[in-house]
Coordinates of all heavy atoms in Angstrom, one line a residue:
M419 N 72.8 9.5 12.4 CA 72.2 8.3 12.0 C 72.8 7.1 12.7 O 72.0 6.2 13.0 CB 72.4 8.2 10.5 CG 71.8 6.9 9.9 SD 71.9 6.9 8.1 CE 72.9 5.4 7.9
S420 N 74.0 7.2 13.1 CA 74.6 6.0 13.8 C 74.0 5.9 15.2 O 73.9 4.8 15.6 CB 76.1 6.2 13.8 OG 76.5 7.3 14.6
D421 N 73.6 7.0 15.8 CA 73.0 6.9 17.1 C 71.7 6.1 17.0 O 71.4 5.3 17.9 CB 72.7 8.3 17.7 CG 74.0 9.0 18.0 OD1 75.1 8.4 18.1 OD2 74.0 10.3 18.1
Y422 N 70.9 6.4 16.0 CA 69.6 5.7 15.9 C 69.9 4.2 15.6 O 69.1 3.3 16.1 CB 68.8 6.3 14.8 CG 68.3 7.7 15.1 CD1 68.8 8.8 14.5 CD2 67.4 7.9 16.1 CE1 68.4 10.1 14.8 CE2 66.9 9.2 16.5 CZ 67.5 10.3 15.8 OH 67.1 11.5 16.1
L423 N 70.9 3.9 14.8 CA 71.2 2.5 14.5 C 71.6 1.7 15.7 O 71.2 0.6 16.0 CB 72.2 2.4 13.4 CG 71.8 2.8 12.0 CD1 73.0 2.8 11.0 CD2 70.8 1.7 11.5
L424 N 72.5 2.4 16.5 CA 73.0 1.8 17.7 C 71.8 1.5 18.7 O 71.7 0.4 19.3 CB 74.0 2.6 18.4 CG 75.4 2.7 17.7 CD1 76.3 3.7 18.4 CD2 76.1 1.3 17.8
L425 N 71.0 2.5 18.9 CA 69.9 2.3 19.9 C 68.8 1.3 19.3 O 68.3 0.5 20.1 CB 69.3 3.6 20.2 CG 70.2 4.6 21.0 CD1 69.5 5.9 21.3 CD2 70.6 3.9 22.3
G426 N 68.5 1.4 18.0 CA 67.6 0.5 17.4 C 68.1 -1.0 17.5 O 67.3 -1.9 17.8
G427 N 69.4 -1.2 17.2 CA 69.9 -2.5 17.3 C 69.9 -3.1 18.7 O 69.6 -4.2 18.9
T428 N 70.2 -2.2 19.7 CA 70.2 -2.6 21.1 C 68.8 -3.0 21.5 O 68.5 -4.0 22.1 CB 70.7 -1.5 22.0 OG1 72.0 -1.2 21.6 CG2 70.7 -2.0 23.4
A429 N 67.8 -2.2 21.1 CA 66.4 -2.5 21.4 C 65.9 -3.8 20.8 O 65.3 -4.6 21.4 CB 65.5 -1.3 21.0
L430 N 66.3 -4.0 19.5 CA 65.9 -5.3 18.9 C 66.5 -6.5 19.5 O 65.9 -7.6 19.6 CB 66.3 -5.2 17.4 CG 65.3 -4.4 16.5 CD1 65.8 -4.4 15.1 CD2 63.9 -4.9 16.6
C431 N 67.8 -6.4 20.0 CA 68.4 -7.5 20.6 C 67.7 -7.8 22.0 O 67.5 -9.0 22.3 CB 69.9 -7.2 20.9 SG 70.9 -7.2 19.4
V432 N 67.3 -6.8 22.7 CA 66.6 -7.0 24.0 C 65.2 -7.6 23.7 O 64.8 -8.6 24.3 CB 66.4 -5.7 24.7 CG1 65.5 -5.9 25.9 CG2 67.8 -5.2 25.2
I433 N 64.5 -7.1 22.6 CA 63.2 -7.7 22.3 C 63.3 -9.1 21.8 O 62.5 -9.9 22.1 CB 62.6 -6.8 21.2 CG1 62.2 -5.5 21.8 CG2 61.4 -7.5 20.6 CD1 61.7 -4.4 20.8
S434 N 64.4 -9.5 21.2 CA 64.6 -10.8 20.7 C 64.7 -11.8 21.9 O 64.2 -13.0 21.8 CB 65.8 -11.0 19.8 OG 67.0 -10.9 20.5
V435 N 65.3 -11.4 23.0 CA 65.4 -12.3 24.1 C 64.0 -12.5 24.7 O 63.6 -13.7 25.0 CB 66.3 -11.7 25.2 CG1 66.3 -12.5 26.5 CG2 67.7 -11.6 24.7
L436 N 63.2 -11.5 24.8 CA 61.8 -11.6 25.2 C 61.0 -12.5 24.3 O 60.2 -13.3 24.8 CB 61.2 -10.2 25.4 CG 61.8 -9.3 26.4 CD1 61.2 -7.9 26.4 CD2 61.8 -9.9 27.8
L437 N 61.2 -12.3 23.0 CA 60.5 -13.2 22.0 C 60.9 -14.6 22.2 O 60.0 -15.5 22.1 CB 60.8 -12.7 20.6 CG 60.0 -11.5 20.1 CD1 60.5 -11.1 18.7 CD2 58.5 -11.9 19.9
A438 N 62.1 -14.9 22.4 CA 62.6 -16.2 22.6 C 62.0 -16.9 23.8 O 61.5 -18.1 23.7 CB 64.1 -16.3 22.7
V439 N 61.9 -16.2 24.9 CA 61.3 -16.8 26.1 C 59.8 -17.1 25.8 O 59.3 -18.2 26.2 CB 61.4 -15.8 27.3 CG1 60.6 -16.2 28.4 CG2 62.9 -15.7 27.6
V440 N 59.1 -16.2 25.2 CA 57.7 -16.4 25.0 C 57.5 -17.5 24.0 O 56.6 -18.4 24.2 CB 57.0 -15.1 24.4 CG1 55.6 -15.4 23.8 CG2 57.0 -14.0 25.5
Q441 N 58.3 -17.6 22.9 CA 58.1 -18.7 22.0 C 58.5 -20.0 22.6 O 57.9 -21.0 22.2 CB 58.9 -18.4 20.7 CG 58.3 -17.3 19.9 CD 59.1 -16.9 18.7 OE1 60.3 -17.1 18.6 NE2 58.4 -16.4 17.7
L442 N 59.5 -20.1 23.4 CA 59.9 -21.3 24.0 C 58.8 -21.8 25.1 O 58.6 -23.0 25.2 CB 61.2 -21.2 24.7 CG 62.4 -21.2 23.7 CD1 63.7 -20.9 24.4 CD2 62.5 -22.4 22.9
L443 N 58.2 -20.9 25.7 CA 57.1 -21.2 26.7 C 55.9 -21.8 25.9 O 55.2 -22.6 26.5 CB 56.7 -20.0 27.5 CG 57.7 -19.6 28.6 CD1 57.2 -18.3 29.3 CD2 57.9 -20.7 29.6
R444 N 55.7 -21.3 24.7 CA 54.6 -21.8 23.9 C 55.0 -23.1 23.2 O 54.2 -23.6 22.4 CB 54.2 -20.8 22.9 CG 53.5 -19.6 23.4 CD 53.3 -18.7 22.3 NE 52.2 -17.8 22.5 CZ 51.7 -16.9 21.7 NH1 52.3 -16.8 20.5 NH2 50.8 -16.1 22.0
L445 N 56.2 -23.6 23.4 CA 56.7 -24.8 22.8 C 56.8 -24.6 21.2 O 56.6 -25.6 20.5 CB 55.9 -26.0 23.1 CG 55.9 -26.4 24.6 CD1 54.9 -27.5 24.9 CD2 57.2 -26.6 25.2
E446 N 57.1 -23.4 20.8 CA 57.3 -23.1 19.4 C 58.8 -22.9 19.2 O 59.6 -22.5 20.1 CB 56.6 -21.8 19.0 CG 55.1 -21.9 19.2 CD 54.5 -20.5 18.9 OE1 55.2 -19.5 18.6 OE2 53.2 -20.5 18.9
P447 N 59.3 -23.1 17.9 CA 60.7 -22.8 17.6 C 60.9 -21.3 17.6 O 60.0 -20.6 17.1 CB 61.0 -23.4 16.3 CG 59.6 -23.7 15.7 CD 58.7 -23.8 16.8
P448 N 61.9 -20.7 18.2 CA 62.1 -19.3 18.3 C 62.6 -18.6 17.0 O 63.6 -18.0 17.0 CB 63.0 -19.1 19.4 CG 63.9 -20.4 19.4 CD 62.9 -21.4 18.9
R449 N 61.9 -18.8 15.9 CA 62.3 -18.3 14.6 C 62.3 -16.8 14.6 O 63.2 -16.1 14.1 CB 61.5 -18.9 13.5 CG 61.7 -20.3 13.3 CD 60.9 -20.8 12.1 NE 61.0 -22.3 12.0 CZ 60.0 -23.1 12.1 NH1 58.8 -22.7 12.3 NH2 60.2 -24.4 12.0
A450 N 61.2 -16.2 15.0 CA 61.1 -14.7 15.0 C 62.1 -14.1 15.9 O 62.7 -13.0 15.6 CB 59.7 -14.3 15.5
A451 N 62.5 -14.8 17.0 CA 63.5 -14.2 17.9 C 64.8 -14.2 17.3 O 65.6 -13.3 17.4 CB 63.5 -15.0 19.2
V452 N 65.1 -15.3 16.5 CA 66.4 -15.4 15.9 C 66.5 -14.3 14.8 O 67.6 -13.6 14.6 CB 66.7 -16.8 15.3 CG1 67.9 -16.8 14.4 CG2 66.8 -17.8 16.4
I453 N 65.5 -14.1 14.0 CA 65.5 -13.1 13.0 C 65.6 -11.7 13.6 O 66.4 -10.9 13.1 CB 64.2 -13.2 12.1 CG1 64.2 -14.5 11.3 CG2 64.1 -12.0 11.2 CD1 62.9 -14.9 10.6
T454 N 64.9 -11.5 14.6 CA 65.0 -10.2 15.3 C 66.4 -10.0 15.9 O 67.0 -8.8 15.8 CB 64.0 -10.1 16.5 OG1 62.7 -10.4 15.9 CG2 64.0 -8.7 17.1
L455 N 67.0 -11.0 16.4 CA 68.4 -10.9 16.9 C 69.4 -10.6 15.8 O 70.3 -9.7 16.0 CB 68.8 -12.1 17.7 CG 70.2 -12.2 18.3 CD1 70.3 -11.1 19.4 CD2 70.6 -13.5 18.8
I456 N 69.3 -11.2 14.7 CA 70.2 -11.0 13.6 C 70.0 -9.6 13.0 O 71.0 -8.9 12.8 CB 69.9 -12.1 12.5 CG1 70.4 -13.4 13.0 CG2 70.7 -11.7 11.2 CD1 70.0 -14.6 12.1
V457 N 68.8 -9.1 12.9 CA 68.6 -7.7 12.4 C 69.2 -6.7 13.4 O 69.8 -5.7 13.0 CB 67.1 -7.5 12.2 CG1 66.8 -6.0 11.9 CG2 66.6 -8.3 11.0
G458 N 69.0 -7.0 14.7 CA 69.6 -6.1 15.7 C 71.1 -6.1 15.7 O 71.7 -5.0 15.8
I459 N 71.7 -7.2 15.5 CA 73.2 -7.3 15.4 C 73.7 -6.5 14.2 O 74.7 -5.8 14.2 CB 73.7 -8.7 15.5 CG1 73.4 -9.3 16.9 CG2 75.1 -8.8 15.1 CD1 73.7 -10.8 17.0
V460 N 73.0 -6.7 13.1 CA 73.4 -6.0 11.8 C 73.2 -4.5 12.0 O 74.1 -3.7 11.6 CB 72.5 -6.5 10.6 CG1 72.6 -5.6 9.5 CG2 72.9 -7.9 10.3
M461 N 72.2 -4.1 12.7 CA 72.0 -2.6 13.0 C 73.1 -2.1 13.9 O 73.6 -1.0 13.8 CB 70.6 -2.3 13.6 CG 69.5 -2.4 12.6 SD 67.9 -2.2 13.3 CE 68.0 -0.4 13.7
L462 N 73.5 -2.9 14.9 CA 74.6 -2.5 15.8 C 75.9 -2.3 15.0 O 76.7 -1.4 15.2 CB 74.8 -3.5 16.9 CG 73.8 -3.4 18.1 CD1 74.0 -4.6 19.0 CD2 74.0 -2.1 18.8
F463 N 76.2 -3.3 14.1 CA 77.4 -3.2 13.3 C 77.4 -2.0 12.4 O 78.4 -1.3 12.2 CB 77.7 -4.5 12.5 CG 78.4 -5.6 13.3 CD1 77.7 -6.7 13.7 CD2 79.7 -5.4 13.8 CE1 78.3 -7.7 14.4 CE2 80.3 -6.4 14.5 CZ 79.6 -7.6 14.8
A464 N 76.2 -1.8 11.8 CA 76.1 -0.6 10.9 C 76.3 0.7 11.7 O 76.9 1.6 11.2 CB 74.7 -0.7 10.2
G465 N 75.7 0.8 12.9 CA 75.9 2.0 13.7 C 77.3 2.2 14.1 O 77.8 3.3 14.1
A466 N 78.0 1.1 14.4 CA 79.4 1.2 14.7 C 80.3 1.6 13.5 O 81.2 2.3 13.6 CB 79.9 -0.1 15.3
Y467 N 79.9 1.1 12.3 CA 80.6 1.4 11.1 C 80.5 2.8 10.7 O 81.4 3.5 10.3 CB 80.2 0.4 10.0 CG 80.8 0.7 8.7 CD1 82.2 0.3 8.5 CD2 80.2 1.4 7.6 CE1 82.8 0.5 7.3 CE2 80.8 1.6 6.4 CZ 82.1 1.1 6.2 OH 82.7 1.4 5.0
F468 N 79.2 3.4 10.8 CA 78.9 4.7 10.3 C 79.3 5.8 11.4 O 79.2 7.0 11.1 CB 77.5 4.9 9.9 CG 77.2 4.1 8.6 CD1 76.2 3.2 8.6 CD2 77.9 4.4 7.5 CE1 75.9 2.5 7.4 CE2 77.6 3.8 6.3 CZ 76.6 2.8 6.3
G469 N 79.6 5.3 12.6 CA 79.9 6.3 13.7 C 81.2 7.1 13.4 O 82.1 6.5 12.8
P470 N 81.3 8.3 13.9 CA 82.4 9.1 13.6 C 83.7 8.7 14.4 O 84.8 8.9 14.0 CB 82.0 10.5 14.0 CG 80.9 10.3 15.0 CD 80.2 9.0 14.6
A471 N 83.5 8.1 15.6 CA 84.6 7.7 16.5 C 84.7 6.2 16.5 O 83.8 5.5 16.1 CB 84.3 8.3 17.9
Q472 N 85.8 5.7 17.1 CA 85.9 4.3 17.3 C 84.9 3.8 18.3 O 84.6 4.5 19.3 CB 87.3 4.0 17.9 CG 87.7 2.6 17.9 CD 89.2 2.4 18.3 OE1 89.8 3.3 18.9 NE2 89.7 1.2 18.0
F473 N 84.3 2.6 18.0 CA 83.2 2.1 18.8 C 83.7 1.5 20.1 O 84.7 0.8 20.2 CB 82.4 1.1 18.0 CG 81.3 0.5 18.8 CD1 80.1 1.3 18.9 CD2 81.3 -0.7 19.3 CE1 79.0 0.8 19.6 CE2 80.2 -1.2 20.1 CZ 79.1 -0.5 20.2
S474 N 82.9 1.8 21.2 CA 83.1 1.2 22.5 C 81.7 1.0 23.1 O 80.7 1.7 22.7 CB 83.9 2.0 23.4 OG 83.3 3.2 23.7
P475 N 81.5 0.1 24.0 CA 80.2 -0.1 24.6 C 79.6 1.2 25.3 O 78.4 1.4 25.3 CB 80.4 -1.2 25.7 CG 81.6 -2.0 25.2 CD 82.4 -0.9 24.5
Q476 N 80.5 2.1 25.7 CA 80.1 3.3 26.3 C 79.4 4.2 25.2 O 78.6 5.1 25.6 CB 81.3 4.1 26.9 CG 80.9 5.4 27.6 CD 80.1 5.2 28.8 OE1 80.1 4.2 29.4 NE2 79.3 6.2 29.1
E477 N 79.6 4.0 24.0 CA 79.1 4.7 22.9 C 77.5 4.6 22.8 O 76.8 5.5 22.4 CB 79.7 4.3 21.6 CG 79.4 5.2 20.4 CD 80.0 6.6 20.5 OE1 81.1 6.7 21.2 OE2 79.4 7.5 20.0
I478 N 77.0 3.5 23.3 CA 75.5 3.3 23.3 C 74.9 4.2 24.3 O 73.9 4.9 24.0 CB 75.2 1.8 23.6 CG1 75.7 0.9 22.4 CG2 73.7 1.7 23.8 CD1 75.6 -0.5 22.7
L479 N 75.5 4.4 25.5 CA 75.0 5.3 26.4 C 75.1 6.8 26.0 O 74.2 7.6 26.2 CB 75.6 5.1 27.8 CG 75.4 3.8 28.5 CD1 76.2 3.7 29.7 CD2 73.9 3.6 28.8
S480 N 76.2 7.1 25.3 CA 76.4 8.4 24.7 C 75.4 8.7 23.6 O 74.9 9.8 23.5 CB 77.8 8.5 24.2 OG 78.8 8.3 25.2
A481 N 75.1 7.7 22.8 CA 74.1 7.9 21.8 C 72.7 8.2 22.4 O 72.0 9.1 21.9 CB 74.0 6.6 20.9
W482 N 72.4 7.5 23.5 CA 71.1 7.8 24.2 C 71.1 9.2 24.7 O 70.1 9.9 24.6 CB 70.9 6.8 25.4 CG 69.7 7.1 26.1 CD1 69.6 7.7 27.3 CD2 68.4 6.7 25.8 NE1 68.3 7.8 27.7 CE2 67.5 7.2 26.8 CE3 67.8 6.1 24.7 CZ2 66.1 7.0 26.7 CZ3 66.4 5.9 24.6 CH2 65.6 6.4 25.6
S483 N 72.2 9.7 25.3 CA 72.3 11.1 25.8 C 72.1 12.1 24.6 O 71.4 13.1 24.8 CB 73.6 11.3 26.5 OG 73.7 10.5 27.6
R484 N 72.8 11.8 23.5 CA 72.7 12.8 22.4 C 71.3 12.8 21.8 O 70.8 13.9 21.5 CB 73.7 12.4 21.3 CG 75.1 12.7 21.7 CD 76.0 12.5 20.5 NE 76.1 11.1 20.0 CZ 77.0 10.2 20.4 NH1 77.9 10.5 21.3 NH2 76.9 9.0 19.9
I485 N 70.6 11.7 21.7 CA 69.3 11.7 21.1 C 68.3 12.3 22.1 O 67.4 13.1 21.6 CB 68.9 10.2 20.8 CG1 69.6 9.8 19.6 CG2 67.4 10.1 20.5 CD1 69.4 8.4 19.1
T486 N 68.4 12.1 23.4 CA 67.5 12.7 24.3 C 67.7 14.2 24.4 O 66.8 15.0 24.5 CB 67.5 12.1 25.7 OG1 68.9 12.1 26.2 CG2 67.0 10.7 25.7
A487 N 69.0 14.6 24.3 CA 69.3 16.1 24.3 C 68.7 16.7 23.0 O 68.2 17.8 23.0 CB 70.7 16.3 24.4
E488 N 68.8 16.0 21.9 CA 68.3 16.5 20.6 C 66.7 16.6 20.7 O 66.2 17.6 20.2 CB 68.7 15.5 19.5 CG 68.4 16.0 18.1 CD 68.9 15.0 17.2 OE1 70.1 14.8 17.1 OE2 68.1 14.4 16.5
A489 N 66.1 15.7 21.4 CA 64.6 15.7 21.4 C 64.1 16.8 22.3 O 63.0 17.3 22.1 CB 64.1 14.3 22.0
T490 N 64.9 17.1 23.4 CA 64.4 18.2 24.3 C 64.9 19.6 23.8 O 64.5 20.6 24.5 CB 64.9 17.9 25.7 OG1 66.4 17.9 25.7 CG2 64.3 16.7 26.3
G491 N 65.7 19.7 22.8 CA 66.1 20.9 22.3 C 67.4 21.4 23.0 O 67.8 22.6 22.8
N492 N 68.1 20.6 23.7 CA 69.3 21.0 24.4 C 70.6 20.6 23.7 O 71.7 20.5 24.2 CB 69.4 20.4 25.8 CG 68.2 20.9 26.7 OD1 67.7 22.0 26.4 ND2 67.8 20.1 27.6
A493 N 70.4 20.2 22.4 CA 71.6 19.7 21.6 C 72.5 20.8 21.3 O 72.1 22.0 21.1 CB 71.1 19.0 20.3
P494 N 73.8 20.6 21.3 CA 74.8 21.6 21.0 C 74.7 22.1 19.6 O 74.4 21.5 18.7 CB 76.1 21.0 21.3 CG 75.9 19.5 21.4 CD 74.5 19.3 21.6

């Protein structure tokens, strides 16, 4: 579960940057981008909290490897 939270939080943080750019180009306040960023950060913290090991930035890449291995059936 922590792998999904880490990757989901990372994805939401990246999407929030794109939303901010689009909303600023439209001359709108970036409210949706801020909300998306906050939810992404909360998901990252939750993933780090529920993870079995101590969190490091390398853990996000490891989570991606574990999930893709699980999806292809190569999980240990």
Side-chain angles (χ1 to χ4, degrees):
M419 181 170 118
S420 66
D421 293 341
Y422 293 109
L423 287 171
L424 287 173
L425 292 177
T428 304
L430 284 177
C431 288
V432 169
I433 290 170
S434 74
V435 172
L436 298 174
L437 279 173
V439 169
V440 168
Q441 288 178 331
L442 289 173
L443 287 175
R444 291 177 156 182
L445 301 175
E446 299 174 356
R449 292 184 186 117
V452 170
I453 292 170
T454 307
L455 180 66
I456 291 171
V457 171
I459 290 171
V460 167
M461 287 178 70
L462 282 171
F463 277 113
Y467 179 75
F468 290 122
Q472 190 174 18
F473 181 74
S474 68
Q476 183 64 29
E477 192 66 29
I478 295 173
L479 295 175
S480 300
W482 178 260
S483 299
R484 287 190 296 269
I485 287 178
T486 54
E488 189 177 295
T490 58
N492 297 333

